[in-house]
PDB file of all heavy atoms in Angstrom:
ATOM      1  N   PRO X1193      12.080  38.933 -19.431  1.00  0.00           N
ATOM      2  CA  PRO X1193      11.467  38.284 -18.260  1.00  0.00           C
ATOM      3  C   PRO X1193      10.371  39.121 -17.606  1.00  0.00           C
ATOM      4  O   PRO X1193       9.474  38.560 -16.971  1.00  0.00           O
ATOM      5  CB  PRO X1193      12.654  38.094 -17.312  1.00  0.00           C
ATOM      6  CG  PRO X1193      13.853  38.067 -18.195  1.00  0.00           C
ATOM      7  CD  PRO X1193      13.551  39.030 -19.306  1.00  0.00           C
ATOM      8  N   ALA X1194      10.440  40.438 -17.761  1.00  0.00           N
ATOM      9  CA  ALA X1194       9.410  41.298 -17.156  1.00  0.00           C
ATOM     10  C   ALA X1194       8.094  41.206 -17.899  1.00  0.00           C
ATOM     11  O   ALA X1194       7.036  41.530 -17.349  1.00  0.00           O
ATOM     12  CB  ALA X1194       9.898  42.748 -17.122  1.00  0.00           C
ATOM     13  N   GLU X1195       8.137  40.780 -19.162  1.00  0.00           N
ATOM     14  CA  GLU X1195       6.932  40.601 -19.966  1.00  0.00           C
ATOM     15  C   GLU X1195       6.979  39.222 -20.625  1.00  0.00           C
ATOM     16  O   GLU X1195       7.202  39.085 -21.831  1.00  0.00           O
ATOM     17  CB  GLU X1195       6.814  41.698 -21.026  1.00  0.00           C
ATOM     18  CG  GLU X1195       6.672  43.101 -20.432  1.00  0.00           C
ATOM     19  CD  GLU X1195       6.538  44.160 -21.499  1.00  0.00           C
ATOM     20  OE1 GLU X1195       6.502  43.800 -22.700  1.00  0.00           O
ATOM     21  OE2 GLU X1195       6.458  45.355 -21.150  1.00  0.00           O
ATOM     22  N   PRO X1196       6.809  38.184 -19.831  1.00  0.00           N
ATOM     23  CA  PRO X1196       6.998  36.818 -20.335  1.00  0.00           C
ATOM     24  C   PRO X1196       5.957  36.419 -21.375  1.00  0.00           C
ATOM     25  O   PRO X1196       4.772  36.723 -21.225  1.00  0.00           O
ATOM     26  CB  PRO X1196       6.872  35.960 -19.074  1.00  0.00           C
ATOM     27  CG  PRO X1196       6.047  36.781 -18.146  1.00  0.00           C
ATOM     28  CD  PRO X1196       6.421  38.207 -18.415  1.00  0.00           C
ATOM     29  N   ARG X1197       6.425  35.741 -22.410  1.00  0.00           N
ATOM     30  CA  ARG X1197       5.474  35.238 -23.407  1.00  0.00           C
ATOM     31  C   ARG X1197       5.186  33.751 -23.195  1.00  0.00           C
ATOM     32  O   ARG X1197       4.271  33.211 -23.811  1.00  0.00           O
ATOM     33  CB  ARG X1197       6.011  35.463 -24.821  1.00  0.00           C
ATOM     34  CG  ARG X1197       7.327  34.802 -25.139  1.00  0.00           C
ATOM     35  CD  ARG X1197       7.660  34.939 -26.614  1.00  0.00           C
ATOM     36  NE  ARG X1197       8.988  34.422 -26.937  1.00  0.00           N
ATOM     37  CZ  ARG X1197       9.385  34.097 -28.170  1.00  0.00           C
ATOM     38  NH1 ARG X1197       8.550  34.246 -29.175  1.00  0.00           N
ATOM     39  NH2 ARG X1197      10.604  33.648 -28.375  1.00  0.00           N
ATOM     40  N   TYR X1198       5.956  33.076 -22.347  1.00  0.00           N
ATOM     41  CA  TYR X1198       5.733  31.658 -22.082  1.00  0.00           C
ATOM     42  C   TYR X1198       5.171  31.432 -20.678  1.00  0.00           C
ATOM     43  O   TYR X1198       3.998  31.108 -20.520  1.00  0.00           O
ATOM     44  CB  TYR X1198       7.026  30.860 -22.283  1.00  0.00           C
ATOM     45  CG  TYR X1198       7.514  30.867 -23.711  1.00  0.00           C
ATOM     46  CD1 TYR X1198       8.769  31.370 -24.033  1.00  0.00           C
ATOM     47  CD2 TYR X1198       6.715  30.397 -24.748  1.00  0.00           C
ATOM     48  CE1 TYR X1198       9.223  31.397 -25.348  1.00  0.00           C
ATOM     49  CE2 TYR X1198       7.144  30.416 -26.070  1.00  0.00           C
ATOM     50  CZ  TYR X1198       8.406  30.923 -26.360  1.00  0.00           C
ATOM     51  OH  TYR X1198       8.844  30.956 -27.657  1.00  0.00           O
ATOM     52  N   VAL X1199       5.995  31.587 -19.654  1.00  0.00           N
ATOM     53  CA  VAL X1199       5.558  31.329 -18.280  1.00  0.00           C
ATOM     54  C   VAL X1199       4.887  32.579 -17.721  1.00  0.00           C
ATOM     55  O   VAL X1199       5.552  33.542 -17.347  1.00  0.00           O
ATOM     56  CB  VAL X1199       6.736  30.908 -17.390  1.00  0.00           C
ATOM     57  CG1 VAL X1199       6.247  30.629 -15.969  1.00  0.00           C
ATOM     58  CG2 VAL X1199       7.408  29.667 -17.960  1.00  0.00           C
ATOM     59  N   GLN X1200       3.569  32.532 -17.675  1.00  0.00           N
ATOM     60  CA  GLN X1200       2.796  33.710 -17.289  1.00  0.00           C
ATOM     61  C   GLN X1200       2.230  33.565 -15.874  1.00  0.00           C
ATOM     62  O   GLN X1200       1.875  32.470 -15.448  1.00  0.00           O
ATOM     63  CB  GLN X1200       1.639  33.919 -18.275  1.00  0.00           C
ATOM     64  CG  GLN X1200       2.098  34.168 -19.703  1.00  0.00           C
ATOM     65  CD  GLN X1200       0.939  34.335 -20.654  1.00  0.00           C
ATOM     66  OE1 GLN X1200      -0.189  33.916 -20.370  1.00  0.00           O
ATOM     67  NE2 GLN X1200       1.187  34.953 -21.794  1.00  0.00           N
ATOM     68  N   THR X1201       2.150  34.687 -15.176  1.00  0.00           N
ATOM     69  CA  THR X1201       1.534  34.731 -13.853  1.00  0.00           C
ATOM     70  C   THR X1201       0.047  35.016 -13.991  1.00  0.00           C
ATOM     71  O   THR X1201      -0.350  35.902 -14.746  1.00  0.00           O
ATOM     72  CB  THR X1201       2.181  35.832 -12.991  1.00  0.00           C
ATOM     73  OG1 THR X1201       3.581  35.558 -12.854  1.00  0.00           O
ATOM     74  CG2 THR X1201       1.549  35.877 -11.603  1.00  0.00           C
ATOM     75  N   VAL X1202      -0.762  34.243 -13.288  1.00  0.00           N
ATOM     76  CA  VAL X1202      -2.196  34.529 -13.178  1.00  0.00           C
ATOM     77  C   VAL X1202      -2.393  34.986 -11.735  1.00  0.00           C
ATOM     78  O   VAL X1202      -2.372  34.175 -10.803  1.00  0.00           O
ATOM     79  CB  VAL X1202      -3.056  33.290 -13.490  1.00  0.00           C
ATOM     80  CG1 VAL X1202      -4.533  33.618 -13.355  1.00  0.00           C
ATOM     81  CG2 VAL X1202      -2.750  32.780 -14.894  1.00  0.00           C
ATOM     82  N   TYR X1203      -2.524  36.266 -11.541  1.00  0.00           N
ATOM     83  CA  TYR X1203      -2.510  36.843 -10.205  1.00  0.00           C
ATOM     84  C   TYR X1203      -3.621  36.286  -9.324  1.00  0.00           C
ATOM     85  O   TYR X1203      -4.772  36.166  -9.734  1.00  0.00           O
ATOM     86  CB  TYR X1203      -2.592  38.370 -10.291  1.00  0.00           C
ATOM     87  CG  TYR X1203      -1.360  38.963 -10.905  1.00  0.00           C
ATOM     88  CD1 TYR X1203      -1.334  39.325 -12.251  1.00  0.00           C
ATOM     89  CD2 TYR X1203      -0.195  39.110 -10.158  1.00  0.00           C
ATOM     90  CE1 TYR X1203      -0.185  39.851 -12.842  1.00  0.00           C
ATOM     91  CE2 TYR X1203       0.960  39.629 -10.732  1.00  0.00           C
ATOM     92  CZ  TYR X1203       0.956  39.996 -12.068  1.00  0.00           C
ATOM     93  OH  TYR X1203       2.104  40.483 -12.636  1.00  0.00           O
TER      94      TYR X1203
END
Side-chain angles (χ1 to χ4, degrees):
E1195 297 181 3
R1197 60 172 175 162
Y1198 295 121
V1199 181
Q1200 298 179 340
T1201 300
V1202 179
Y1203 293 99

